[in-house]
Amino acid sequence: MDRIRISDLGVRCILGVTEEERREKQDILINLVICTDLSKAGRTDRFEDALDYRTLKKKIMGMVEDSRYHLVEALVAQVGAGDDRAGC
């Protein structure tokens, strides 16, 4: 399996336990590792055979920006569940 790292993806969301924390969106940084097989894309040099990083990034950002979790742990679990290749 090949690993792709996404580092310091900046996103804003409602996150926290107290009313004050949840009043406004907060800046958070997401770092994750995606495991996938890149061998076909490496052989064919075709975009259709590759992982579309832009689409993946937008999916993660949309999921997080629309979330309203109390705990960071719940947010992390949701991001990891959103793509079965995350967290090798």
Side-chain angles (χ1 to χ4, degrees), residues 39-80:
S39 60
K40 185 174 182 181
R43 286 191 313 275
T44 65
D45 194 30
R46 291 171 27 119
F47 180 76
E48 297 81 16
D49 296 332
L51 176 64
D52 184 347
Y53 308 131
R54 183 176 183 176
T55 299
L56 179 61
K57 182 181 91 169
K58 284 184 175 187
K59 179 180 175 182
I60 293 168
M61 290 179 73
M63 179 189 316
V64 173
E65 288 174 348
D66 292 340
S67 70
R68 298 182 65 84
Y69 291 101
H70 291 95
L71 301 177
V72 170
E73 294 85 350
L75 177 61
V76 168
Q78 184 61 36
V79 169

Side-chain angles (χ1 to χ4, degrees), residues 3-57:
R3 293 181 183 189
I4 298 168
R5 295 184 191 281
I6 297 177
S7 300
D8 298 333
L9 178 62
V11 187
R12 294 183 54 77
C13 69
I14 299 292
L15 183 66
V17 177
T18 68
E19 189 175 311
E20 183 178 338
E21 289 175 313
R22 301 180 63 75
R23 193 168 295 136
E24 294 182 28
K25 288 189 173 189
Q26 300 179 44
D27 295 323
I28 63 167
L29 292 176
I30 296 176
N31 295 284
L32 60 111
V33 175
I34 305 294
C35 293
T36 191
D37 183 0
L38 300 174
S39 60
K40 185 174 182 181
R43 286 191 313 275
T44 65
D45 194 30
R46 291 171 27 119
F47 180 76
E48 297 81 16
D49 296 332
L51 176 64
D52 184 347
Y53 308 131
R54 183 176 183 176
T55 299
L56 179 61
K57 182 181 91 169

